Amino acid sequence: MKAPWSDPVYLNSSGFDPSLFHDDDGRKWLINLQWDYRQREGRDRFGGIVLQEYDVELRRLVGDITTIFTGTELKLTEGPHLYRRDGWYHLLVAEGGTGYQHAVTMARSKTLTGPYEVHPQNPLLTASHDPDHPLQRAGHADLVDSPEGDTYLVHLCGRPLPGTRLSPLGRETAIQRVAWGSDGWLRLDHGGNTPALKVAMSGVTQKPPAPEEHYDFATDTLPAAFQWLRTPYPDRLFSLTERPGYLRLFGRESVGSWFEQALVARRQDNIHCSAETTLEFEPEDIQQFAGLIAYYNRFKFHYLAVTLNDAGDKVLSVISCLDDWPNGNLKIADVSVRPWRHDSARAGYPRPGAVLSLCPRWRGVAADRPRAGRWPALRRRQRSCPRLLYRHLLGMAAHDISGRGTPPISRRSAIAAPLFQRRDKLMAEVTLRDIEKTFHGKATVIPDLNLHIEDGSFTVLVGPSGCGKSTLLRMIAGLETVTQGTITIGGEDVTTAEPSDRDIAMVFQSYALYPHMTVARNIDFGMRLAKVPAKEREAKVAEAARLLNLEDLLERKPAELSGGQRQRWR
């Protein structure tokens, strides 16, 4: 997985669940579900399984697109895989959706493009007919042959809590032993189509899970079991080096945010478990809180959080969102208790029947401990969607909804995920290597140009009309594509970067002024978009007006200025 990767190759946008099939003759084929965006009455939008050849040399799909299978009465046909065996093409698909009607369907054909006949005992695998079976939502399967010559079917499933449709572990992967019959069809080795709970496997030794795992954050690398949410910039969320031996979280947006929040957690991998952490945290007001969290999504979580109350006392509270979609209203434990410094908090599913239990663990002097019965034990059943796909997270979180979190947010939005980080310098060196620009494959405007502009220098391009001065500037700014060669700014290759990702400003030959804005607002406009503070904007506008001798014209609009004044302004 860490070996060098090629550049990505675009295939199609017709649907999802793509899979490559390598035929015996060496040809490659892509199959995927085709999405039917038309919402026709009485039909689902799963438009069937389509097939198209992939050309390795051209690195693209070629030839006709063929629909090879439209599914069965189970509908919602997706997740296709193709196999070749004994002269047959075998097609494995998921049907019924990923909920409690989930199923594995199999079909076969003598020719690649069909028609495909459905398995005589279809579905091959499902638990939809047995609502009390421990393994539910079985579907989305694939086949694998072991070194010992056995065939196995791996598939998705869920393990709901007994008597409920709550699956705290979300969607899991199970394995079934299968066998090819004398009629050429594949069947479960134990018979029927209900998933087995135990499967005999040759050459495999099962390793029991560790009864307890301890993480001390002693290195500068986050343990592999932990993850964070939705950002490629983890250094904005946490640090393992600012205080060696500790995980430091930087408070970010609210626990209900779609975007950036400091939450470092691991997936729950056992139905009955508990997690405990020790916390050092000194909140400044009610907008700052940190602690231990049991998290499914922004509408389903329990948060054992240290914060302040209205009186300024440091308190420990349980903040919950009980599946309140789409409002996200919170439930907060009525009683908050004062935590002892460096104390620990525990959250988890400690025994059968306890959907969630949260409690503090107390040390310190007895006067600071809660009195018996004072802490409201939270064993509240969390409502859950029957189609729960992803497992809960247990971990640590810090939130600062005042926006004072450090390190500070740069003016270039972290949410937008720019091509590269904002540079510290106001200017940067520009290097053009072997630049060529040809229009329509015929007219070469810039045949071969190499130029290096030092950081902080002032460079002027001089030449007759039509020699390519403006074209070159447009290529540097990203407004014109480069036919050949590379452009680097600050040592970073921006040849194919978007103009917005280059930190380049251009002054156009035309006035390019907003006629409805004053001089001050035109100068101020770009800084407003970059969210520069108001006082800083005012100072920069005043300095620009002084340099351009426009101080008396700041409240005028373009129509009230002379041509020369407009040129100075632009």
Side-chain angles (χ1 to χ4, degrees):
M1 297 296 291
K2 294 183 179 180
W5 289 80
S6 69
D7 292 333
V9 176
Y10 173 78
L11 296 176
N12 65 32
S13 303
S14 63
F16 50 86
D17 287 349
S19 178
L20 279 173
F21 169 64
H22 307 275
D23 208 345
D24 293 344
D25 59 4
R27 297 172 73 181
K28 319 293 183 183
W29 301 85
L30 181 79
I31 55 173
N32 62 270
L33 171 145
Q34 179 171 269
W35 185 252
D36 188 347
Y37 62 88
R38 301 165 296 177
Q39 299 185 28
R40 296 181 179 179
E41 185 176 354
R43 291 185 56 185
D44 62 59
R45 282 174 282 180
F46 290 56
I49 306 303
V50 296
L51 175 142
Q52 189 177 11
E53 187 174 3
Y54 175 73
D55 190 303
V56 177
E57 297 297 327
L58 296 177
R59 302 180 71 189
R60 63 182 177 88
L61 296 174
V62 297
D64 295 334
I65 301 172
T66 305
T67 299
I68 62 172
F69 190 64
T70 57
T72 72
E73 68 279 358
L74 297 177
K75 296 186 177 182
L76 303 175
T77 308
E78 56 184 328
H81 295 291
L82 264 176
Y83 314 89
R84 185 80 183 271
R85 179 184 172 87
D86 296 336
W88 290 94
Y89 291 96
H90 294 270
L91 176 65
L92 203 65
V93 298
E95 291 196 295
T98 54
Y100 285 84
Q101 301 302 311
H102 208 186
V104 176
T105 286
M106 197 166 196
R108 70 182 185 184
S109 172
K110 281 290 186 179
T111 59
L112 178 63
T113 56
Y116 282 79
E117 59 173 315
V118 177
H119 195 294
Q121 284 88 44
N122 199 64
L124 176 64
L125 177 75
T126 187
S128 61
H129 57 285
D130 188 355
D132 297 323
H133 195 277
L135 289 185
Q136 291 291 321
R137 299 179 298 159
H140 273 78
D142 200 355
L143 296 178
V144 60
D145 291 327
S146 72
E148 291 76 22
D150 302 319
T151 302
Y152 296 92
L153 180 142
V154 292
H155 63 93
L156 298 179
C157 66
R159 290 186 289 167
L161 298 176
T164 76
R165 288 197 165 187
L166 305 176
S167 302
L169 298 187
R171 197 157 58 172
E172 300 181 86
T173 302
I175 191 166
Q176 306 293 328
R177 192 181 184 113
V178 290
W180 295 96
S182 58
D183 58 357
W185 285 108
L186 190 72
R187 293 178 176 85
L188 296 179
D189 192 57
H190 60 275
N193 61 1
T194 305
L197 300 181
K198 293 184 178 182
V199 176
M201 301 181 68
S202 56
V204 174
T205 301
Q206 184 172 357
K207 181 181 179 181
E212 182 174 306
E213 297 180 28
H214 176 74
Y215 303 96
D216 56 11
F217 304 112
T219 70
D220 59 1
T221 302
L222 191 69
F226 287 88
Q227 60 191 104
W228 59 93
L229 296 178
R230 290 186 292 267
T231 176
Y233 307 113
D235 55 317
R236 288 183 44 76
L237 307 182
F238 63 87
S239 172
L240 290 159
T241 58
E242 291 204 13
R243 187 180 179 187
Y246 288 77
L247 171 67
R248 175 169 291 179
L249 298 176
F250 304 114
R252 289 300 179 203
E253 297 171 14
S254 73
V255 68
S257 171
W258 285 117
F259 305 108
E260 188 180 49
Q261 55 171 299
L263 188 154
V264 176
R266 60 160 298 162
R267 293 195 181 277
Q268 181 184 339
D269 58 10
N270 198 299
I271 291 179
H272 306 125
C273 64
S274 63
E276 181 177 323
T277 190
T278 301
L279 172 71
E280 291 185 27
F281 177 55
E282 297 298 329
E284 298 177 2
D285 55 39
I286 63 171
Q287 292 183 310
Q288 297 177 339
F289 34 96
L292 195 62
I293 192 166
Y295 182 91
Y296 177 68
N297 61 28
R298 62 178 299 196
F299 302 110
K300 301 176 186 178
F301 61 83
H302 294 287
Y303 192 1
L304 186 59
V306 174
T307 184
L308 294 185
N309 61 18
D310 291 333
D313 297 322
K314 188 176 175 182
V315 296
L316 188 63
S317 295
V318 177
I319 305 171
S320 302
C321 187
L322 306 177
D323 198 14
D324 184 39
W325 183 89
N327 299 314
N329 290 322
L330 300 178
K331 302 289 185 182
I332 301 178
D334 294 332
V335 179
S336 295
V337 293
R338 300 183 182 183
W340 184 255
R341 182 174 173 83
H342 307 313
D343 244 323
S344 57
R346 169 173 286 183
Y349 304 79
R351 64 184 182 278
V355 176
L356 183 69
S357 177
L358 294 172
C359 64
R361 300 188 66 193
W362 298 92
R363 296 189 297 272
V365 297
D368 290 317
R369 301 178 186 176
R371 296 188 300 274
R374 185 178 176 189
W375 178 260
L378 178 67
R379 295 183 178 88
R380 189 190 306 273
R381 288 195 174 273
Q382 182 179 356
R383 292 175 291 159
S384 182
C385 172
R387 292 179 57 187
L388 190 65
L389 298 183
Y390 310 108
R391 65 182 61 185
H392 291 133
L393 296 168
L394 288 173
M396 301 143 288
H399 296 86
D400 183 357
I401 56 178
S402 70
R404 291 173 290 181
T406 56
I409 300 174
S410 69
R411 290 180 189 169
R412 178 168 288 176
S413 170
I415 298 168
L419 182 66
F420 46 81
Q421 297 281 3
R422 183 179 178 87
R423 307 176 190 88
D424 294 330
K425 298 180 180 180
L426 292 177
M427 303 183 71
E429 63 180 11
V430 178
T431 303
L432 297 93
R433 295 188 182 92
D434 304 321
I435 293 297
E436 178 183 317
K437 179 60 183 179
T438 301
F439 288 98
H440 309 299
K442 298 178 180 179
T444 299
V445 178
I446 300 176
D448 184 17
L449 175 68
N450 288 275
L451 175 66
H452 180 74
I453 303 173
E454 292 288 347
D455 178 31
S457 65
F458 186 82
T459 302
V460 178
L461 301 179
V462 180
S465 177
C467 72
K469 302 184 299 296
S470 297
T471 299
L472 179 61
L473 291 174
R474 288 175 60 82
M475 288 193 292
I476 295 173
L479 303 177
E480 192 74 61
T481 59
V482 175
T483 305
Q484 185 172 309
T486 59
I487 299 173
T488 61
I489 300 177
E492 299 173 61
D493 189 342
V494 298
T495 310
T496 59
E498 292 294 322
S500 59
D501 290 330
R502 301 193 186 202
D503 256 354
I504 291 290
M506 282 193 71
V507 178
F508 297 90
Q509 289 176 312
S510 61
Y511 300 136
L513 304 176
Y514 294 103
H516 63 290
M517 292 185 183
T518 62
V519 171
R521 288 301 300 272
N522 267 276
I523 299 174
D524 177 65
F525 185 67
M527 293 185 286
R528 283 179 176 270
L529 293 180
K531 301 189 183 302
V532 176
K535 289 186 178 180
E536 185 178 346
R537 296 199 310 268
E538 292 173 5
K540 289 183 179 294
V541 169
E543 176 64 10
R546 184 188 65 80
L547 291 173
L548 299 172
N549 196 24
L550 295 173
E551 294 170 293
D552 297 331
L553 307 175
L554 288 177
E555 297 307 315
R556 295 190 185 183
K557 293 184 178 180
E560 301 171 316
L561 301 176
S562 68
Q565 289 169 334
R566 294 181 197 176
Q567 286 285 2
R568 276 186 282 149
W569 175 12
R570 69 178 178 86

